[in-house]
Amino acid sequence: MSIRPVKHLSQAVPTLEGAGVRLRRAFGFGDTDDFDPFLLLDDFRNERPEDYLRGFPWHPHRGIETITYVLSGTVEHGDSLGNRGALGAGDVQWMTAGSGIIHQEMPKGDPAGHMHGFQLWANLPSSLKMTAPRYQDVHAADVPEVTDDDGTRVRVVCGSFWGVTGPVDGIAAEPSYLDVWVPPGTRKSLPVETSRHAFAYVFAGSGTFANASAPRAVRTDVVAGAPPAPAGDAANRTLVVFDRGDEVTVRAGEDGIRFLLVSGKPLQEPVAWSGPIVMNTDEQLRQAYAELRAGTFLK
């Protein structure tokens, strides 16, 4: 087995989205080569309702899939296909925008006013950019969780891990999406297929992600004046991007560590991206926005 080296670390950046939702962006709207087939990861975590209640009113998507994972509070949603519903704590929604959909997402806090969730964007290959839109809504009780002998717990949202397969399927990038908890002081190695791009996003506790067996420097990104982190050390809201290898190794800190571990097969296709629409060429982007203006966007 070969440990994946840590390619770089960065802190999620405060961002204003939708109608005025304050969130943290781990990556997105930049060079996505390290993340292909993924485009964006947002951490919407707030304790003040005024920071999220304005939500994400009606907006279009084309050419991507959006994955919403809620940890606390609820997200009410509706779309141009007539779907309506609400995601609660532990629920997952995988939306394939395909040829085009218009929807809204309105966060609602829990009884204490807390809201926490993630949204990940996955790119669609050119052959599926104009596929029919669809949803996969998964209740928390249907997301399997497996516990190892050392107390490590993994919720398997998508993909297969430790003999357990997640409920979301039929996704173009064949991703693996795991919610991992490693107990305090525990060192854990987690398998990741070598050919995939992989990243971890820490959202509770802290730990150290092992580098390659031979010591080497790690580039650490400093965002918004945050002090540089020691190589491999990751705390709350830290994004860890891995190089090639077939396992990720982490040693949890004194409070344990909880993180998303996401990997997917690179599409290696050109990306033309403007706002909520991601295509392969600028001409396709222009056509999509022309159809929005003409009222012919929805197929």
Side-chain angles (χ1 to χ4, degrees), residues 147-153 162 181-184 186-189:
T147 303
D148 207 4
D149 293 341
D150 59 9
T152 298
R153 299 192 306 270
W162 286 347
W181 158 254
V182 181
T186 301
R187 178 183 172 90
K188 197 69 183 174
S189 293

Side-chain angles (χ1 to χ4, degrees), residues 7-277:
K7 201 169 185 179
H8 61 85
L9 306 174
S10 59
Q11 289 292 303
V13 180
T15 304
L16 200 65
E17 269 295 352
V21 177
R22 297 185 184 276
L23 50 79
R24 300 289 184 110
R25 178 155 293 153
F27 65 89
F29 291 99
D31 184 359
T32 58
D33 287 349
D34 283 344
F35 306 99
D36 182 15
F38 305 108
L39 299 162
L40 172 150
L41 176 64
D42 282 346
D43 177 353
F44 52 97
R45 182 185 340 180
N46 280 296
E47 297 184 356
R48 293 167 16 111
E50 57 267 35
D51 287 343
Y52 61 78
L53 281 179
R54 287 183 290 273
F56 307 91
W58 297 100
H59 59 281
H61 283 296
R62 176 179 285 181
I64 64 171
E65 300 181 280
T66 66
I67 304 95
T68 305
Y69 179 34
V70 177
L71 295 181
S72 61
T74 61
V75 177
E76 297 178 356
H77 66 88
D79 67 38
S80 51
L81 300 177
N83 298 304
R84 297 287 185 275
L87 302 175
D91 292 349
V92 180
Q93 182 187 83
W94 203 295
M95 183 190 77
T96 303
S99 62
I101 199 167
I102 297 176
H103 75 156
Q104 65 172 353
E105 301 154 298
M106 305 303 288
K108 308 292 181 184
D110 64 16
H114 299 166
M115 181 72 226
H116 190 193
F118 303 100
Q119 187 165 96
L120 176 68
W121 290 12
N123 201 4
L124 280 169
S126 56
S127 60
L128 295 175
K129 288 288 189 188
M130 298 299 286
T131 193
R134 69 176 181 134
Y135 277 97
Q136 295 184 65
D137 286 332
V138 179
H139 295 296
D142 297 323
V143 179
E145 181 174 289
V146 58
T147 303
D148 207 4
D149 293 341
D150 59 9
T152 298
R153 299 192 306 270
V154 180
R155 294 191 83 214
V156 184
V157 173
C158 186
S160 295
F161 187 80
W162 286 347
V164 173
T165 299
V168 178
D169 62 6
I171 305 304
E174 298 181 15
S176 172
Y177 190 122
L178 310 174
D179 176 350
V180 181
W181 158 254
V182 181
T186 301
R187 178 183 172 90
K188 197 69 183 174
S189 293
L190 306 166
V192 179
E193 187 180 318
T194 306
S195 62
R196 295 166 172 263
H197 282 161
F199 66 87
Y201 180 72
V202 180
F203 61 95
S206 64
T208 301
F209 288 86
N211 218 324
S213 52
R216 73 181 187 91
V218 175
R219 186 178 86 250
T220 301
D221 296 334
V222 180
V223 178
D233 288 357
N236 185 29
R237 294 193 173 103
T238 299
L239 175 71
V240 185
V241 181
F242 301 103
D243 214 327
R244 298 293 181 171
D246 52 23
E247 68 178 14
V248 166
T249 299
V250 61
R251 182 179 295 278
E254 61 183 15
D255 296 321
I257 186 170
R258 189 176 179 189
F259 57 94
L260 303 180
L261 180 59
V262 180
S263 65
K265 294 167 56 178
L267 298 179
Q268 297 180 315
E269 292 185 353
V271 174
W273 184 356
S274 178
I277 297 175

